[in-house]
């Protein structure tokens, strides 16, 4: 709430000084900054525990950038988002092996596969905690659900 009040005061100052046409050059847009996709590494601490940021965003709709690993099976509503392009899926059998640089993505529709080296942005509700997909057996520690994605 304090942040909104501060933004309003800065905007009022800019308008009051007659600088509104130059506002984008003077101050970054805080709302635009919030829309920037998260990096996978920001969700985890070095010890593989979830970061404070991840905990604060749990249950909210977020954007995360990365690369689509090849799906585990055809006609799936699930894929793995990776930090770097991977030609094969980084399938994990246990949560203990869960890398810090991947995120399970559960989509609203059947996945249209994107080339493994094309950057994408996913948007979905962040869920934390161990989950074993009953259909694939894939174990995830963090995932986006009700997700959509697009090339960036």
């Amino acid at each position: 709430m304090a942040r909104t009040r501060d933004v309003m005061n800065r905007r009022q100052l800019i308008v009051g000084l007659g600088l509104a046409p130059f506002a984008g050059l003077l101050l970054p847009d805080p709302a635009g900054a919030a829309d920037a996709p998260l990096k996978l590494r920001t969700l985890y601490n070095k010890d593989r525990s979830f970061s404070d940021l991840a905990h604060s965003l749990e249950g909210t709709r977020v954007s995360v950038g990365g690369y689509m690993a090849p799906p585990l099976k055809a006609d799936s509503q699930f894929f793995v988002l990776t930090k770097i392009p991977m030609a094969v899926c980084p399938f994990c059998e246990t949560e203990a092996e869960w890398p810090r640089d991947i995120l399970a993505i559960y989509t609203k529709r059947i996945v249209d596969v994107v080339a493994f080296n094309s950057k994408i942005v996913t948007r979905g509700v962040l869920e934390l905690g161990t989950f074993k997909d009953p259909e694939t057996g894939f174990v995830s520690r963090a995932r986006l659900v009700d997700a959509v994605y697009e090339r960036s």
Side-chain angles (χ1 to χ4, degrees):
M1 192 170 215
R3 182 176 181 189
T4 302
R5 187 178 59 233
D6 292 341
V7 171
M8 294 297 286
N9 288 339
R10 284 185 256 163
R11 286 187 182 148
Q12 290 169 348
L13 175 66
I14 289 170
V15 170
L17 294 175
L19 300 174
F22 307 103
L25 299 173
L26 297 173
L27 296 171
D29 180 12
D35 293 340
L38 297 171
K39 293 183 180 183
L40 289 169
R41 69 175 178 246
T42 64
L43 298 177
Y44 300 96
N45 296 317
K46 290 187 186 231
D47 66 359
R48 296 189 181 183
S49 64
F50 295 117
S51 68
D52 290 341
L53 175 64
H55 284 293
S56 73
L57 295 172
E58 185 175 12
T60 66
R61 195 157 189 84
V62 298
S63 297
V64 183
Y67 298 88
M68 181 186 289
L72 297 173
K73 65 179 198 146
D75 297 329
S76 180
Q77 288 183 264
F78 160 80
F79 68 92
V80 174
L81 187 71
T82 63
K83 179 175 89 173
I84 58 173
M86 300 183 100
V88 296
C89 183
F91 190 85
C92 302
E93 293 184 15
T94 70
E95 70 172 291
E97 298 169 3
W98 184 258
R100 295 183 312 152
D101 58 359
I102 69 173
L103 185 64
I105 308 295
Y106 289 90
T107 60
K108 294 179 176 185
R109 297 182 178 88
I110 300 295
V111 172
D112 287 327
V113 178
V114 175
F116 75 91
N117 59 351
S118 294
K119 185 112 174 150
I120 64 171
V121 173
T122 60
R123 290 174 187 80
V125 177
L126 180 64
E127 288 185 352
L128 304 177
T130 302
F131 172 76
K132 183 175 182 177
D133 186 293
E135 191 176 324
T136 63
F138 186 89
V139 176
S140 65
R141 291 193 56 231
R143 69 214 133 270
L144 293 185
V145 297
D146 197 27
V148 296
Y149 59 94
E150 64 187 11
R151 289 182 191 203
S152 60

